Amino acid sequence: MKNQISQYLSEYGFDCEPGDFFGQGVVKVSTTISGYAAELMLRIEDRFLSLPEFLLLEPSKYGKLAHVNIERIDDVEVGLVCVNAPDAVSVNFDQPLLLVRDSLKRHISLLESVMSDPDWNDRELLREFYSNWLFLCKSGQKPLLINFSQPILQRVDVYEPIEKAKYGLHSYYVAHPSDSEISKLSEMHFSIKERDRKVAGKAVVIPLDQLIPAPNSNESVEDWYLKTINRLPDERLNQLRDQLGQWRDKHYWIVFTAITVDNNRTWFALKLDNDNKKALPLSSNKIDGWRLTPISVRVFNQENVVQRGGGSTSLADKKVAVVGVGSVGSEVGHKLAAAGVRHLHFIDPDFYQIDNLHRHMLPQAYIDLPKSMGMVYQCHAQFPWSDAHYSCESLLTFVEKYPCDFFDLIVIAIGNPSLERFFKQHLLDNNIDVTTLNCWLEGFGVGGHAVLDISGTDGCLLCAYVDHADGCRGLHSNLNFIEANQDVMKSIAGCGNQFISYGAASSAQTAVMASSLAIRYLEGKQADSCRVSWKGDDDDAQAENIKLTHRYYQFKESLKRLPLLDEDCDVCSR
């Protein structure tokens, strides 16, 4: 293979030579990059399932290069050139020669950029700071878990991992400030406060105005640390000396934070260990005896965790009521919490039963607990900054007890059209200005619906109840796919155990559709009232001789947001 690759690249004008590198076949490529003579080396593999990696030989002579990490292989210094994330490029492993040539061109192009443009190189060194820092950290070492909401100078306790814990938050060193907004029911809180974890030392958070690129593996971390401390503003350095310099310990975690490029913030740490208790070393004459170890950091604050998970911190202050915490409502609540909505109020008088297990968000541990209470516990456990509350009440009681206009949005997922229309009439009669989202699914997998009724815009929930046969308000939604006045209930154990036949996939589909619509509204992306439906197959309905509506057979707009207004609506036509 090495001879084939060498010959192939030579045919395309590259100066190549096959060889061996500590017993492994390689191909060396000599080239000129931005006026510098450079040598790249490809280690041959049986099959390239990702982009082949060319190593830059003698990388230190080119200075500090972005996207080039230096390591030693059997005392030979090589540069690992990062041209792409391993999973970001689809490779044609059946054409290894083409793949190698493409990879070589990518390596040379990147090296041309970092060698020819010092400003771009410096910017990329800062952009890639944390990746380069990780390269200095010991393999297999767990990161320090930090829970800081503000990048300010502070000192907090670092808690030890729980003995023998190999996974979960119990297995990390954790730096957790006492003024954290984290939920008291979250696993983070329990993993520290309820398990009496020992204090392993102190963490000092030091914000940096000027970030020095991370040291290469062959550079001194100690020198980097002293240069970084020396660049601190005098006021901050004096704060460190006055507030923290008098206290002594054997172990310190220095947590640094800085803005890199494009206003992105990075966090990283150094662990300082000494055999004796000493003050935090802030100068070269105090550093003797200290062992410095680069530590990776896992940031456990709302901004990082929510955004990394695809949520939005702009939703943190939105207040949403979810009335009805069944299979659809529980999924809607979960998706809203995952999106970043902290202030959820779950309302439902029902208790969680064994019958609910296969189409509900809650696990077995919550059986016989009110569904609303169970969802609050679940939100607090999974989403650390949740401020969810619950009420074990019906929609009718909710109407009487709570000021509806307190909420930015009220989601109604009770599956009872009579009560839903009653609630709408209550809002109209009392001139209550609040946006509602009604959602429901139909049995046998035929589909589900959501109606977003934005107060003050064209269209309302009652538009979805106009009977198109006579233009008057009817008893059944004109969105439905199942004809009215049919017995759609099924029974396994007699009348007391009747239920509508639908699976978890159908309820989840309806909930995802509804929650996506809710999130669009809360983010200000949906300004008009609308309706949206999804349509499933009719196999199960046909098997049960269930008649479907004309709308079902004509419907071709699944998941498309359609105008809600019906000109025959007796409310909207006033």
Side-chain angles (χ1 to χ4, degrees), residues 133-176:
W133 191 263
L134 288 178
F135 200 78
L136 302 173
C137 301
K138 294 179 181 177
S139 177
Q141 180 187 64
K142 281 206 169 187
L144 171 67
L145 198 61
I146 65 171
N147 175 24
F148 303 129
S149 57
Q150 298 295 328
I152 57 175
L153 185 68
Q154 58 182 307
R155 182 186 71 183
V156 301
D157 290 331
V158 176
Y159 295 91
E160 287 185 356
I162 294 176
E163 189 176 359
K164 297 182 180 180
K166 295 184 179 179
Y167 56 88
L169 300 184
H170 305 299
S171 62
Y172 288 85
Y173 281 96
V174 178
H176 182 65

Side-chain angles (χ1 to χ4, degrees), residues 519-533:
I519 292 166
R520 280 186 58 84
Y521 168 72
L522 293 171
E523 290 181 335
K525 298 175 181 177
Q526 182 67 39
D528 300 316
S529 297
C530 65
R531 54 191 170 92
V532 59
S533 301

Side-chain angles (χ1 to χ4, degrees), residues 45-59:
E45 300 177 20
D46 292 336
R47 172 174 287 184
F48 294 110
L49 298 179
S50 59
L51 203 64
E53 295 180 351
F54 284 83
L55 303 177
L56 177 63
L57 300 182
E58 300 183 82

Side-chain angles (χ1 to χ4, degrees), residues 112 158 184 187 302 314 320 342 416 475 477:
E112 283 276 4
V158 176
K184 301 301 181 185
E187 185 68 16
Q302 187 174 354
S314 68
V320 179
R342 294 181 60 210
N416 187 321
L475 296 177
S477 174

